[in-house]
Amino acid sequence: MNAALWTGQIFLALIFALSGVLKSTMSRERMLETGQTGAAAFPLPVVRFAAICELIAVLGLILPQLTGVAPALTGWAAVGLVVVMIGAMGSHGRLAIVQHKPSEWRNVGVNVLLLAVCVFVAVGRL
């Protein structure tokens, strides 16, 4: 079980590290071009704040378990990402419905997958 949890943690850390770096460094136009369509729904400072939260969560997914210092923080980092994924699903779902962009449902599906891994890590580490 520990190996499966570490696999989930590393998977999430890689995904959210990439997402956080891209959202914190790219212009809104570039984010939209690269498929981060959720950036269209929020002001840029909100997108940057979400990116910083994702990067902090990446540290929380790895460092507490790795160092043995406050290992419960790993589970709480995953809980934080559950909240982010619920928001992302709502954002992409809204784009699909309100702006009639059926391709956004694929993004909702990806969000559901990430949410499931986040819940797995949260339950396993808390």
Side-chain angles (χ1 to χ4, degrees), residues 54-115:
E54 289 176 358
L55 293 172
I56 291 169
V58 166
L59 297 175
L61 285 169
I62 302 298
L63 292 180
Q65 283 293 314
L66 188 64
T67 64
V69 176
L73 290 177
T74 296
W76 288 111
V79 169
L81 291 173
V82 165
V83 173
V84 170
M85 286 297 92
I86 290 170
M89 288 183 333
S91 160
H92 288 291
R94 184 172 185 277
L95 286 171
I97 294 168
V98 174
Q99 295 186 5
H100 307 289
K101 294 183 177 180
S103 62
E104 287 297 319
W105 291 116
R106 179 183 52 84
N107 292 334
V108 173
V110 170
N111 295 146
V112 169
L113 171 68
L114 291 171
L115 174 72

Side-chain angles (χ1 to χ4, degrees), residues 4 11 24 26-27 32 39 41 45-46 51 66 68-69 72-73 78 80 107 117:
F11 171 74
S24 63
M26 289 182 163
S27 68
L32 295 174
V46 173
L66 188 64
V69 176
L73 290 177
N107 292 334
V117 178

Side-chain angles (χ1 to χ4, degrees), residues 37-53:
T37 55
F42 300 99
L44 195 55
V46 173
V47 174
R48 300 281 195 232
F49 177 73
I52 291 167
C53 290

